[in-house]
Amino acid sequence: QVRLVESGGGLVQAGGSLRLSCAASGRTFSSYAMTWFRQAPGKERQLVAAISGSGVITYYTDSVKGRFTISRDNAKNTVYLRMNSLGPEDTAVYYCAADRSWSIAKTAMAEFWGQGTQVTVSS
């Protein structure tokens, strides 16, 4: 029902910034909470940020608070993750996910997932 496609990943120097985008298909985009996860090699998939369907409520994991900003443009069916002050510890594959449930969207059991986009931060 919902197809998610991430873009915007790449190679960046430490201290730099990237903006990831996740474009969604479907006409009920605003009904879905959207989340960003990341997974580094050998590590568990980690929740990074979440945003409610309206965009009013947001969540960030402690390690990215003050550096990352999640936002959405429901008219464009797109969610964004602006990442500032990047360090090598942020290197991972970043995935967006969607679920009608706020609580489920924040877990690995979210209903819909994108293919992931690689973010590599060099030192």
Side-chain angles (χ1 to χ4, degrees):
Q1 184 179 355
V2 177
R3 178 171 172 260
L4 305 175
V5 179
E6 300 99 332
S7 62
L11 177 64
V12 65
Q13 297 273 11
S17 298
L18 284 174
R19 189 179 76 160
L20 306 183
S21 298
C22 177
S25 65
R27 60 183 180 89
T28 58
F29 178 69
S30 64
S31 298
Y32 290 85
M34 300 293 297
T35 52
W36 286 98
F37 288 77
R38 65 187 181 188
Q39 189 166 25
K43 295 186 177 180
E44 294 285 323
R45 189 169 298 183
Q46 176 192 33
L47 175 66
V48 176
I51 188 165
S52 63
S54 67
V56 171
I57 304 170
T58 58
Y59 166 87
Y60 301 93
T61 195
D62 286 345
S63 62
V64 309
K65 285 181 180 176
R67 299 190 298 124
F68 291 11
T69 303
I70 189 170
S71 62
R72 67 192 295 160
D73 185 341
N74 287 344
K76 295 183 177 180
N77 276 23
T78 302
V79 63
Y80 305 95
L81 185 68
R82 178 68 179 181
M83 305 183 294
N84 295 326
S85 301
L86 287 164
E89 67 275 11
D90 297 310
T91 294
V93 177
Y94 284 71
Y95 300 89
C96 69
D99 202 285
R100 290 184 182 269
S101 166
W102 172 252
S103 60
I104 300 300
K106 293 166 65 181
T107 75
M109 300 305 296
E111 186 173 7
F112 301 105
W113 292 84
Q115 82 288 351
T117 185
Q118 176 71 48
V119 172
T120 303
V121 184
S122 65
S123 59

